[in-house]
Amino acid sequence: MTIGIESPTSGFIGYIPVRNIWLLLLYASRLYRELPESRRVELEDAPDDLPDLVAEILANAVERRLRRNLSHGYQRRWADLNRVRGRIDLLRTERRQLLQRGRVACVFDELTVDTTRNRYVKTALKNIAGIVCSSDLERRCRDLVFRLERAGVVGYLDPRRAARTASLDNVGWVDSHERQMLAAATLALNLLIATEQSGLASLPIVNRDETKGWKLFENAVAGFYDVALSHLGWNVNPGSHIKWPVVNPTPGLQDIMPEMITDIVLERREHGTPTAGRRIIIDTKFTSIVTPSQFGRQSLKSGHIYQMYAYLRSQEQPCNSISRHATGVLLYPSLGDDYYESAIIQGHRVSFATVDLAADSQTIRNQLLRIVDV
């Protein structure tokens, strides 16, 4: 499977191997944050085997959940009964003349294991069984689907809509074991969607779908730094909102003045001091780092530089060392090219870097870490 990155001339600058698409999905996933370090390293070092490894994690979690009993939830039901349960649906009762037959239409909540959460996990098991390489693991996943059905989880979810309708953020409180199970199910479904057909599939990201590729790249970078840097005292803030330092605005300006939204902000304080430490503002771009210029040579994209300049200079505060010496990084995916250039512009170091998505996982990791000198 391959994935294209937009370029000004041909619509692509090449193709990313499927193993690195899966690696990006891993970095962007909640499962990457949930697993212990030894398991994370195992997944990173073997991106080609990622579906099998994720399926094994998911199967282990489901088996553990079955031993402890599945989580229950209330679901709304409508039924014609011979006794009142819940509340009466008067319109349906009258329309069907149920009282003449000694029945009444009722609406009630029923405790069941056939919840959205359990259907989500069952859907993930059923679908990842179709892309794993191990026949034993495939049989194990299908057996767990049967066991879930036997336990009362009857329905499935549309795998292409499941991640939006039943993601971990939307299912309420869960314990740590169930959180890992749901995180593995989410990654399993995302791996499935990336693999549109068996064997070597194709997932071109053309111009109209560029946002999808950019968002995956941004989420993957943020997820990687969250795991790699948090234990070193860094705070990783994706999607931070920053405001323009306007003074004496006219009455109507506040209603129309846009906010600036940075992709990722990395920040580390020195000894708890609020005004000293390091701040790195990273802006990810899902396009080529250079473009042909009018002088017949390659050049960086001026619009991207202006954007980063605004992020850095607009947040400067005289008594705040972090803001006055913040670093800006424009980060691009590449295929074979390796750029890492920088300069100090009015007190701020600005870097222009690439991550080679055609390289092995260790190279990708090293290129991400060199930005923060770790």
Side-chain angles (χ1 to χ4, degrees):
M1 174 189 139
T2 55
I3 184 170
I5 305 175
E6 180 269 337
S7 119
T9 53
S10 64
F12 300 90
I13 61 169
Y15 293 95
I16 305 171
V18 61
R19 60 184 172 81
N20 288 345
I21 295 298
W22 284 341
L23 185 65
L24 291 181
L25 288 168
L26 171 66
Y27 285 157
S29 72
R30 193 180 293 263
L31 181 64
Y32 188 62
R33 297 161 174 81
E34 295 289 337
L35 291 174
E37 183 177 0
S38 59
R39 290 296 271 164
R40 288 201 302 265
V41 171
E42 181 183 3
L43 291 171
E44 281 184 283
D45 289 345
D48 290 310
D49 301 327
L50 193 57
D52 288 60
L53 294 170
V54 171
E56 183 181 358
I57 292 170
L58 178 59
N60 290 339
V62 174
E63 287 171 348
R64 182 168 55 244
R65 195 72 219 183
L66 284 167
R67 288 194 297 269
R68 298 177 54 196
N69 294 326
L70 295 172
S71 59
H72 290 69
Y74 285 97
Q75 286 197 343
R76 182 61 53 89
R77 279 197 60 195
W78 290 260
D80 300 337
L81 306 174
N82 55 15
R83 61 182 178 85
V84 176
R85 183 178 179 185
R87 62 182 180 85
I88 299 174
D89 186 339
L90 294 174
L91 182 62
R92 179 184 173 92
T93 300
E94 183 63 25
R95 181 182 296 165
R96 297 197 171 194
Q97 299 182 343
L98 295 176
L99 291 176
Q100 299 176 15
R101 292 178 278 157
R103 300 176 70 80
V104 63
C106 297
V107 181
F108 54 94
D109 292 327
E110 184 177 60
L111 190 64
T112 178
V113 297
D114 192 24
T115 61
T116 301
R117 185 184 302 178
N118 291 332
R119 288 184 179 189
Y120 185 58
V121 172
K122 179 184 170 188
T123 301
L125 279 168
K126 176 179 180 291
N127 286 280
I128 200 169
I131 64 171
V132 295
C133 296
S134 168
S135 57
D136 290 339
L137 191 54
E138 178 185 356
R139 283 193 297 270
R140 185 180 172 194
C141 290
R142 298 194 188 282
D143 177 64
L144 285 170
V145 170
F146 176 71
R147 289 175 61 185
L148 287 172
E149 287 180 348
R150 209 167 45 179
V153 185
V154 178
Y156 288 96
L157 298 176
D158 179 349
R160 292 185 176 273
R161 298 178 57 191
R164 294 194 299 271
T165 60
S167 68
L168 189 55
D169 295 327
N170 299 326
V171 295
W173 182 88
V174 291
D175 62 31
S176 59
H177 293 299
E178 189 159 18
R179 192 164 60 241
Q180 189 176 113
M181 178 180 71
L182 292 169
T186 300
L187 182 53
L189 287 169
N190 285 332
L191 294 177
L192 169 78
I193 292 170
T195 308
E196 294 185 320
Q197 55 186 325
S198 60
L200 294 176
S202 176
L203 183 63
I205 291 187
V206 292
N207 292 340
R208 63 184 175 85
D209 290 328
E210 184 184 345
T211 301
K212 296 179 183 179
W214 161 72
K215 201 62 185 175
L216 171 59
F217 185 55
E218 177 190 339
N219 290 340
V221 173
F224 173 81
Y225 285 133
D226 188 33
V227 170
L229 301 181
S230 292
H231 70 285
L232 298 176
W234 289 85
N235 290 321
V236 180
N237 303 302
S240 298
H241 291 246
I242 56 178
K243 295 183 178 180
W244 294 95
V246 295
V247 179
N248 297 327
T250 54
L253 181 64
Q254 185 175 356
D255 296 331
I256 60 175
M257 189 70 176
E259 287 186 323
M260 293 179 282
I261 304 177
T262 59
D263 287 350
I264 306 160
V265 177
L266 309 178
E267 201 165 275
R268 185 176 63 182
R269 306 287 181 176
E270 285 185 2
H271 309 298
T273 304
T275 60
R278 290 187 65 192
R279 177 184 295 163
I280 303 174
I281 299 176
I282 300 175
D283 203 55
T284 55
K285 303 294 185 183
F286 199 72
T287 183
S288 56
I289 187 172
V290 293
T291 187
S293 72
Q294 58 182 333
F295 303 108
R297 62 182 181 86
Q298 301 285 335
S299 75
L300 298 167
K301 298 177 181 180
S302 57
H304 296 173
I305 302 174
Y306 301 153
Q307 182 182 13
M308 181 57 68
Y309 183 81
Y311 288 161
L312 295 169
R313 295 304 307 274
S314 69
Q315 301 306 298
E316 288 181 355
Q317 299 174 20
C319 298
N320 190 316
S321 175
I322 289 181
S323 67
R324 287 187 291 105
H325 300 291
T327 298
V329 178
L330 287 164
L331 187 63
Y332 301 80
S334 72
L335 296 159
D337 294 327
D338 183 20
Y339 287 87
Y340 186 53
E341 308 296 339
S342 67
I344 294 177
I345 302 176
Q346 292 187 294
H348 298 274
R349 180 163 293 279
V350 180
S351 300
F352 309 89
T354 56
V355 177
D356 185 2
L357 296 184
D360 59 89
S361 58
Q362 188 60 50
T363 298
I364 292 174
R365 181 182 180 88
N366 291 340
Q367 288 176 341
L368 288 170
L369 288 177
R370 69 183 176 182
I371 292 170
V372 291
D373 301 323
V374 173

